Amino acid sequence: MSGVVVPEGGPMRDLLRVGPGPVDLAAIDPRSTPGLPAAAGHGSARKEWARGQVELVGAELGRQQEMLYAAAQGAAGPGSATSAPSQAGGRLDGDRPRRVLLVLQAMDCGGKDGAVKRVAGAMNPLGLHIRSFGPPTEEERRHDFLWRVRRALPPPGYVGVFNRSHYEDVLIARVEGLVDEATWRSRYAIINDFERELVERSVTVVKVMLHISYGEQGERLMERLTDPTKYWKYNPSDLDTRARWDDYRAAYTEALERCGTDAAPWFVVPADRKWYRDWALAHLLRETFDGLDLGYPPADFDVERERDRLRDQGGK
């Protein structure tokens, strides 16, 4: 990772992880920059430095993603060398290829789309699986709340990104009274069981809340109402949701407390500064990939024989 400067104070997975016990979002400054090294400089220079670092980390994310994808492709055929029980090539639990699932949640204008574009966009679309979750369709309402989420999970070897997720069913469903309290309260345990199941199936789950302030949200909404090229991003209902800021903050707090597990922990990324948001998320993903001990799968054919065959056909 030539040129990449690692965070100061420890891994981002430690600095940003929500610990066990009560969560106080008010104590996390949305403009803070945990882990930002002194090398970033000061003032406006930090923004350009961070953007350059995101590009460098993005190249590494692309390489790691390719190894993840290659391992799954190698496992596709019978007799593949990667079908042996091993961690090499990103494999766990015998013949189960790994998957990575990034769950992004935020208040309106929190920067989910920007994070997907700048961080996930550094990866190869061939192995990327991005899904957004809006209001459920009529068909989805006929099933349990996880039905549509299960159908959207990334295939083996892919990096999946959920722009909003199953957590909407304990956030908007709670605040807007779409279901009764007994129903949404029962969902915390269901979500924990679901995520534990994913981990047991070799899915690495990275859950991120992009944490913005009330003031920053107001500025971003006004920008959408001022710039004609951003009118399409605005919905009058955004202000109705903003009016219930405290209710949504309480819902997020309980989701973080109730569903932050060892199997699938929550991370809170201060997101008022977009450049820091992208830098922190890039390193969070880099550290996650590093922990998977990925590698390219070995050939399941005789390499020398294939080279000889190619030479016989005029190859050099």
Side-chain angles (χ1 to χ4, degrees), residues 171-179 237 240-241 244 247-248:
L171 295 170
I172 189 171
R174 165 181 173 164
V175 175
E176 303 300 333
L178 303 182
V179 296
S237 66
D240 298 326
T241 300
R244 306 199 65 176
D247 294 332
Y248 273 99

Side-chain angles (χ1 to χ4, degrees), residues 27-41:
I28 303 174
D29 182 358
R31 292 188 63 79
S32 62
T33 56
L36 191 70

Side-chain angles (χ1 to χ4, degrees), residues 83-263:
S83 62
S86 171
Q87 276 192 294
R91 307 293 308 289
L92 275 184
D93 296 341
D95 60 355
R96 289 186 177 181
R98 285 188 181 273
R99 290 174 272 179
V100 174
L101 175 62
L102 171 63
V103 174
L104 289 175
Q105 288 286 160
M107 300 285 281
D108 289 339
C109 300
K112 299 183 300 298
D113 292 342
V116 170
K117 178 180 179 180
R118 294 180 180 83
V119 180
M123 302 182 200
N124 189 334
L126 184 65
L128 202 58
H129 190 79
I130 301 174
R131 291 293 181 269
S132 297
F133 292 91
T137 64
E138 286 298 323
E139 180 183 17
E140 289 168 347
R141 289 192 187 97
R142 292 194 292 268
H143 298 271
D144 71 273
F145 78 100
L146 287 177
W147 182 77
R148 65 175 181 165
V149 177
R150 292 182 182 277
R151 291 165 58 88
L153 289 171
Y158 278 67
V159 175
V161 180
F162 281 178
N163 186 336
R164 299 189 187 273
S165 68
H166 43 294
Y167 281 95
E168 294 298 294
D169 291 284
V170 292
L171 295 170
I172 189 171
R174 165 181 173 164
V175 175
E176 303 300 333
L178 303 182
V179 296
D180 59 69
E181 182 174 351
T183 298
W184 61 256
R185 285 204 173 277
S186 69
R187 288 175 175 171
Y188 296 121
I190 295 172
I191 287 173
N192 286 339
D193 288 343
F194 168 62
E195 292 175 350
R196 188 179 305 111
E197 172 195 337
L198 292 182
V199 173
E200 290 172 352
R201 292 166 53 196
S202 298
V203 181
T204 298
V205 182
V206 184
K207 301 184 304 191
V208 176
M209 178 193 175
L210 302 177
H211 180 43
I212 65 167
S213 64
Y214 185 79
E216 179 67 19
Q217 185 195 59
E219 291 183 13
R220 294 182 186 181
L221 285 171
M222 185 58 73
E223 184 180 1
R224 293 180 181 184
L225 289 169
T226 305
D227 183 350
T229 67
K230 296 185 178 181
Y231 288 166
W232 65 275
K233 293 185 176 182
Y234 183 82
N235 189 310
S237 66
D238 292 344
L239 292 187
D240 298 326
T241 300
R242 178 172 165 81
R244 306 199 65 176
W245 178 273
D246 290 341
D247 294 332
Y248 273 99
R249 180 58 59 87
Y252 265 102
T253 296
E254 188 159 6
L256 294 172
E257 290 179 348
R258 298 283 299 275
C259 298
T261 64
D262 288 339

